[in-house]
Amino acid sequence: MSALLPPLAVSIGDPAGIGPEIVAHAWAARAAQGLPPFFAIGDARAIAAVWDGPVEVLAAPGDAAAAFDHALPLIQVDDPGEIVPGDPNLAGARCALDSLEIAVGLARNGMAGAVVTGPVSKAQLYAIGFDYPGQTEFIAERCGIATANAVMMLAGPSLRTIPVTVHLPLAQVPRALSAELIVAKGRVAARALCRDYGIAAPRLAVAGLNPHAGESGTLGREDIDIVRFAVDALIADGIDAVGPLAADTMFHASARALYDVALCMYHDQALIPLKTLDFEDGVNVTLGLPIVRTSPDHGTAFGIAGKGVASPRAMIAAIRMAGECAARRAA
Amino acid sequence: MSALLPPLAVSIGDPAGIGPEIVAHAWAARAAQGLPPFFAIGDARAIAAVWDGPVEVLAAPGDAAAAFDHALPLIQVDDPGEIVPGDPNLAGARCALDSLEIAVGLARNGMAGAVVTGPVSKAQLYAIGFDYPGQTEFIAERCGIATANAVMMLAGPSLRTIPVTVHLPLAQVPRALSAELIVAKGRVAARALCRDYGIAAPRLAVAGLNPHAGESGTLGREDIDIVRFAVDALIADGIDAVGPLAADTMFHASARALYDVALCMYHDQALIPLKTLDFEDGVNVTLGLPIVRTSPDHGTAFGIAGKGVASPRAMIAAIRMAGECAARRAA
């Protein structure tokens, strides 16, 4: 299948972060890790500053497959000048945004099999006028998809979770939660697990908001009024959903065996179990897009950039998963 | 040390739950598991209904050590009549409450080395007039300790966590949280980890309430106004505390290596990582009491009672931990 798939586009993210080195190390591990062909989009000098392996600057993305065997194929963006690892600047932020935009465009045009995005600094992007909450919203808009239908899923070897609400203060979560929101994310998740992950009838486990899923209402009504209502609506849609489940007893191994994805009501309910179990291998996937998009679930790590200690594991996992999902779509 | 320690008192909890069988199976595993001498408090017929091993009904708790080698020593409470596994009744609830009360009394008088409590049904206890939120509050009162100073800690092989707020709807958590509460629980935890766990200078990791610990206030002010204030107060007290930490990145293996206990702001923040990692071995410990008290971190499991499938692992872990803590206090 993957022979038919164009190489994947990997944006290096902020060139002063660990993006350049983890993309390069993922390429170096391509054979051992069985990675599909990919090319980087970013700055050659930023990569050379942190890695002494071969880089081949491409004239066109179509040349990537031929180069992949012997060098890291690279689409060069506008030269950002000298990049110092660990010391981000505005030229680097422009490089990161260019890389992202080109990657999405190539995937939209079918010239890249999927997009894998390296870590960016939101603070740096905001400083150059970027006005999206994050890369995901930018990509959704470029794909003509409403942000609400671009669903963040965290996926590791042990577990997949979706935070139904994401970056909110905890006090705002109960008000922000609605049955509509849960149902919308559940539908996108069910479709995507079927299309991109080959799971014919995905099983959704829906976490309760309150301790013990509200203990029949004595610990809060939301699990009855909102979560159970949403689960019933998903079931009425023909989706295999169960819940609300007590969140504390749904993430151990034998509980995880009963579902394909956990819908969680807030950020830490989804991220605590994922990062507890799969800290180094966590992949952030955007479901519901016309293109496949994954990302390593970590930040720029400016503090260790260029020191040779950043682990490429999550980048490798993100590239592998993007290739698998794209191959399933192409099949 | 444990030669000087009186046997531990283990209340069997609701006799129609899995308590009788897991206590009996813990006794049967005493040698393989290296458990300290203990005696059960409950009903002989309820144990005989689910286990065909030897039971020795004691005339006095002082006889327990001599019996422990060849039979499960038992203090018989008032006969509750016939108990059917999986079918709780009020006589069984009285048996559970009697067992608990006797266990605490014996530990208070120095005739038991510690108390290990089997699982009870709160609904059944409420039906006989029990008016405490749970066993912990009952024990605290019997020990003359304010409930606020009896601190629930969950402890497994991988992790120890303390929920600063416990059984509250999530929407009430931000209002219920205060620096005073965090500091009070942190002080009890630091003392208890030193006295009962032999950790000379316990390291406390304090979780933030909001995602990413509030991201400098952009995702909620509580982590600055409440959590950081509490951490500073604990440090001023001479306690090794750090926080607020992003809750999602504090429970993987290399993060856990940096602290002895995690203070969490709400139930699921503490219970999700604990049960994700140590589901079958979780021990519920009450810190701050004049006696040592532990409990397996699971319920009565009426649905599987008497079927021979209940795992005694958490009960074994609770007995072992109670013995270790009591031995440290006695040393």
Side-chain angles (χ1 to χ4, degrees):
Chain A
M1 282 191 300
S2 62
L4 302 172
L5 191 73
L8 317 183
V10 182
S11 67
I12 63 165
D14 193 300
I18 62 172
E21 61 198 274
I22 61 177
V23 174
H25 288 134
W27 177 82
R30 67 202 178 284
Q33 296 287 339
L35 297 183
F38 64 86
F39 57 96
I41 306 177
D43 180 51
R45 273 198 296 172
I47 294 172
V50 294
W51 186 60
D52 57 10
V55 172
E56 181 169 324
V57 177
L58 305 177
D63 301 336
F68 187 71
D69 274 350
H70 59 269
L72 170 63
L74 175 80
I75 302 278
Q76 173 71 46
V77 302
D78 284 350
D79 186 347
E82 194 188 356
I83 298 294
V84 179
D87 189 14
N89 62 25
L90 299 187
R94 276 181 216 105
C95 168
L97 183 53
D98 286 352
S99 303
L100 173 65
E101 186 145 32
I102 293 168
V104 174
L106 291 175
R108 292 281 284 147
N109 293 336
M111 298 175 73
V115 171
V116 180
T117 57
V120 298
S121 162
K122 290 184 197 172
Q124 293 292 320
L125 286 179
Y126 296 159
I128 59 165
F130 184 81
D131 60 355
Y132 301 83
Q135 296 190 96
T136 301
E137 293 80 3
F138 174 87
I139 296 168
E141 194 199 79
R142 284 293 194 271
C143 291
I145 296 290
T147 298
N149 293 324
V151 173
M152 176 166 94
M153 178 171 84
L154 292 310
S158 311
L159 180 66
R160 298 184 194 94
T161 64
I162 289 173
V164 167
T165 65
V166 189
H167 289 122
L168 288 180
L170 194 77
Q172 294 180 19
V173 167
R175 274 170 287 156
L177 204 61
S178 69
E180 292 69 27
L181 190 64
I182 299 169
V183 170
K185 301 228 170 184
R187 284 176 179 156
V188 171
R191 269 197 301 271
L193 287 176
C194 180
R195 178 170 70 158
D196 298 343
Y197 290 82
I199 302 168
R203 300 163 300 169
L204 275 56
V206 184
L209 175 72
N210 294 302
H212 312 163
E215 254 181 32
S216 308
T218 57
L219 294 176
R221 292 282 316 169
E222 297 92 341
D223 291 301
I224 297 171
D225 298 340
I226 297 174
V227 186
R228 173 159 297 291
F229 189 86
V231 171
D232 289 344
L234 287 167
I235 292 169
D237 254 15
I239 292 172
D240 184 351
V242 61
L245 302 180
D248 59 342
T249 55
M250 63 187 277
F251 298 113
H252 58 92
S254 56
R256 296 196 305 270
L258 302 177
Y259 59 82
D260 299 301
V261 64
L263 258 66
C264 298
M265 298 302 106
Y266 53 92
H267 182 277
D268 281 357
Q269 199 180 48
L271 278 282
I272 286 175
L274 194 287
K275 293 196 174 182
T276 296
L277 292 168
D278 297 327
F279 186 65
E280 293 208 69
D281 302 303
V283 178
N284 183 332
V285 192
T286 311
L287 307 179
L289 297 177
I291 61 174
V292 169
R293 183 261 176 142
T294 68
S295 179
D297 186 33
H298 59 63
T300 53
F302 290 126
I304 59 167
K307 297 188 175 162
V309 299
S311 166
R313 281 178 56 176
M315 178 54 86
I316 288 169
I319 293 170
R320 182 185 291 115
M321 190 177 292
E324 292 168 351
C325 291
R328 282 200 197 86
R329 285 200 191 184
Chain B
M1 285 190 297
S2 62
L4 302 172
L5 191 72
L8 317 184
V10 182
S11 65
I12 63 165
D14 193 300
I18 62 172
E21 62 198 273
I22 61 177
V23 174
H25 288 136
W27 177 81
R30 67 201 178 284
Q33 296 288 340
L35 296 183
F38 65 85
F39 57 97
I41 307 178
D43 179 52
R45 274 198 295 172
I47 294 172
V50 294
W51 187 61
D52 58 8
V55 172
E56 181 168 324
V57 176
L58 305 176
D63 301 336
F68 187 72
D69 274 351
H70 59 270
L72 171 63
L74 175 80
I75 301 278
Q76 174 70 44
V77 301
D78 285 349
D79 187 346
E82 193 188 355
I83 298 294
V84 178
D87 189 13
N89 63 25
L90 299 187
R94 277 181 217 104
C95 168
L97 184 52
D98 286 354
S99 303
L100 174 64
E101 185 145 30
I102 292 168
V104 175
L106 291 174
R108 291 282 285 149
N109 293 334
M111 297 174 75
V115 171
V116 181
T117 58
V120 298
S121 160
K122 289 184 198 173
Q124 292 291 318
L125 286 178
Y126 296 161
I128 60 165
F130 183 81
D131 61 356
Y132 300 83
Q135 296 192 95
T136 301
E137 293 81 0
F138 175 88
I139 296 168
E141 194 199 80
R142 284 294 195 272
C143 291
I145 297 290
T147 297
N149 292 324
V151 173
M152 177 165 96
M153 178 171 83
L154 292 312
S158 312
L159 182 66
R160 300 185 193 94
T161 64
I162 290 173
V164 167
T165 65
V166 189
H167 289 121
L168 287 181
L170 193 76
Q172 294 180 18
V173 166
R175 274 169 288 156
L177 205 61
S178 69
E180 293 68 28
L181 190 65
I182 299 168
V183 169
K185 301 228 170 185
R187 285 177 177 154
V188 170
R191 270 196 301 270
L193 287 176
C194 181
R195 179 170 68 158
D196 298 344
Y197 290 81
I199 302 167
R203 298 164 300 169
L204 276 56
V206 184
L209 175 72
N210 294 302
H212 312 163
E215 253 181 33
S216 308
T218 57
L219 294 175
R221 291 281 318 169
E222 297 92 341
D223 291 302
I224 297 171
D225 297 339
I226 298 175
V227 185
R228 172 157 299 290
F229 190 86
V231 170
D232 288 345
L234 287 167
I235 293 170
D237 254 16
I239 292 172
D240 183 351
V242 62
L245 302 180
D248 59 342
T249 54
M250 63 185 278
F251 298 114
H252 59 92
S254 57
R256 295 197 305 270
L258 301 177
Y259 59 82
D260 298 300
V261 65
L263 258 66
C264 298
M265 298 303 105
Y266 54 93
H267 182 276
D268 281 356
Q269 198 180 50
L271 278 282
I272 287 175
L274 195 286
K275 293 195 174 184
T276 296
L277 293 169
D278 296 328
F279 187 65
E280 294 209 67
D281 302 303
V283 179
N284 182 332
V285 191
T286 312
L287 307 178
L289 298 176
I291 61 174
V292 169
R293 183 261 176 143
T294 69
S295 179
D297 186 34
H298 59 62
T300 55
F302 290 126
I304 60 167
K307 297 187 174 162
V309 299
S311 167
R313 280 178 56 176
M315 177 56 85
I316 287 168
I319 293 171
R320 180 184 293 116
M321 191 178 289
E324 291 169 351
C325 291
R328 282 199 197 87
R329 286 200 191 184

